[in-house]
């Protein structure tokens, strides 16, 4: 509970200003999304399919950019996130894009009972989410209670990258393991949006979050344990500009179905 409250406090510190710095004013960001909403959803779009009139909930949907893109494509979208700063930017973004979204400011493990009615067609979980949870089973139990029969979970987590590359060309590579893949301890890191703020904008206490990295096996097992059928697991290559890192897997997408 202490870790959750600390993470929540960090995400409510200066996230709104960070999104202004990163994406510009909501009207500027909305104009870019409206030009090609499918592009903003990225690799996840092919797993969502035709989203017109689909009920979608974006868990920890942050600043709402993907939710607004989905709404522009015809979906009925809800975001659940514990940051009021994120909510502020998302609601302004939706208004500028002339779409409606619902935003629930809450811990996703404590959603209102009226949401847990197995009525959503898609649960979307974007990058950098799972490491905020110290136990995955309750999270995927919530996902199961959100999804209608035949509904889809689309999960795009960031992998724990344990291999780094050094060298100047693709022909000169040195790879090394830089961490313990099976480490279960909480790791203190800077909150993700801090890189879009001046170093002096956040006090040290608000800058830090505590995260738990999960193995791929733990994630897949927790999804299956919640009664969801894993239909696909697509590994994605590193898209960094370093040519010698191209062959290293960076992230993956899991699509599971509620039976």
């Amino acid at each position: 509970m202490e870790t959750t409250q600390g993470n929540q406090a960090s995400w409510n510190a200066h996230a709104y200003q960070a999104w202004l710095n990163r994406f510009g004013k909501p009207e500027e960001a909305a104009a870019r999304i409206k030009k090609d909403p499918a592009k903003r959803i990225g690799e996840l779009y092919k797993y969502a399919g035709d989203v017109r009139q689909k009920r979608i909930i974006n868990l920890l949907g942050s600043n709402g950019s993907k939710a607004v893109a989905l709404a522009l494509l015809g979906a009925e979208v809800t975001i659940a996130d514990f940051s009021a700063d994120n909510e502020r930017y998302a609601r302004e973004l939706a208004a500028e894009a002339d779409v409606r979204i619902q935003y629930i400011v809450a811990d996703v493990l404590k959603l209102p009972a009226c949401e847990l009615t197995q009525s959503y067609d898609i649960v979307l979980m974007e990058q950098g989410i799972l490491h905020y949870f110290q136990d995955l089973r309750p999270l995927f139990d919530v996902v199961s209670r959100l999804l209608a029969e035949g509904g889809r979970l689309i999960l795009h987590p960031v992998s724990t990258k344990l291999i780094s590359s050094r060298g100047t060309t693709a022909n000169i590579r040195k790879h090394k393991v830089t961490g313990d893949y099976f480490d279960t301890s909480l790791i203190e890191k800077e909150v993700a949006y801090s890189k879009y703020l001046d170093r002096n904008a956040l006090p040290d206490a608000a800058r830090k979050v505590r995260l738990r990295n999960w193995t791929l096996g733990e994630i897949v097992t927790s999804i299956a344990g919640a009664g969801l059928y894993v239909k696909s697991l697509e590994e994605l290559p590193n898209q960094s500009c370093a040519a010698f890192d191209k062959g290293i897997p960076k992230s993956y997408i899991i699509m599971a179905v509620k039976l």
Side-chain angles (χ1 to χ4, degrees):
M1 180 62 71
E2 181 180 347
T3 298
T4 300
Q5 290 174 344
N7 290 345
Q8 183 173 357
S10 294
W11 270 101
N12 277 287
H14 291 282
Y16 181 82
Q17 184 59 53
W19 302 138
L20 289 177
N21 294 347
R22 172 65 177 88
F23 299 111
K25 295 179 180 179
E27 58 266 33
E28 298 168 339
R32 290 193 297 271
I33 295 172
K34 289 174 73 173
K35 288 180 180 178
D36 190 352
K39 181 179 180 180
R40 184 64 190 87
I41 301 168
E43 294 283 348
L44 304 178
Y45 188 49
K46 64 183 178 183
Y47 291 98
D50 185 354
V51 298
R52 286 175 293 181
Q53 299 183 342
K54 294 289 181 65
R55 293 196 72 215
I56 300 176
I57 185 164
N58 188 184
L59 298 184
L60 277 75
S62 188
N63 55 63
S65 58
K66 282 190 171 61
V68 167
L70 288 164
L72 285 166
L73 292 168
E76 179 186 336
V77 189
T78 297
I79 300 173
D81 192 290
F82 59 11
S83 171
D85 250 28
N86 283 344
E87 179 198 24
R88 179 184 173 190
Y89 192 91
R91 287 195 181 279
E92 292 178 8
L93 183 66
E96 294 294 340
D98 198 26
V99 294
R100 296 179 60 184
I101 62 168
Q102 179 186 10
Y103 206 113
I104 303 170
V105 179
D107 181 335
V108 300
L109 297 181
K110 300 177 182 178
L111 290 177
C114 61
E115 296 296 330
L116 303 174
T117 57
Q118 303 181 58
S119 59
Y120 283 97
D121 300 296
I122 295 174
V123 171
L124 174 64
M125 300 177 69
E126 305 174 55
Q127 298 186 22
I129 290 175
L130 296 186
H131 53 215
Y132 281 99
F133 296 89
Q134 296 181 50
D135 188 350
L136 292 182
R137 184 59 185 269
L139 171 63
F140 290 119
D141 283 343
V142 167
V143 170
S144 182
R145 294 174 67 189
L146 288 167
L147 283 173
E149 184 177 345
R152 303 177 188 178
L153 164 67
I154 303 173
L155 172 66
H156 184 198
V158 176
S159 64
T160 303
K161 188 168 184 285
L162 298 176
I163 302 175
S164 64
S165 298
R166 293 180 298 173
T168 56
T169 72
N171 297 321
I172 303 175
R173 302 180 183 181
K174 291 183 179 179
H175 298 303
K176 66 175 183 177
V177 175
T178 59
D180 180 354
Y181 182 68
F182 299 99
D183 184 10
T184 63
S185 61
L186 294 178
I187 302 171
E188 186 174 84
K189 291 190 176 182
E190 291 196 350
V191 66
Y193 67 77
S194 65
K195 58 188 173 185
Y196 305 123
L197 294 171
D198 182 273
R199 290 292 302 178
N200 297 320
L202 280 176
D204 287 342
R207 187 181 296 277
K208 302 298 184 181
V209 290
R210 291 173 64 80
L211 310 174
R212 181 2 176 133
N213 288 322
W214 297 94
T215 69
L216 183 57
E218 288 171 327
I219 294 168
V220 172
T221 299
S222 296
I223 293 172
L228 304 175
Y229 171 59
V230 177
K231 292 198 68 175
S232 66
L233 192 165
E234 178 185 5
E235 294 179 282
L236 302 173
N238 189 356
Q239 298 296 332
S240 75
C241 59
F244 44 81
D245 261 358
K246 292 294 185 183
I248 298 174
K250 177 64 176 174
S251 61
Y252 49 91
I253 300 174
I254 295 174
M255 197 270 278
V257 175
K258 170 75 173 292
L259 298 177

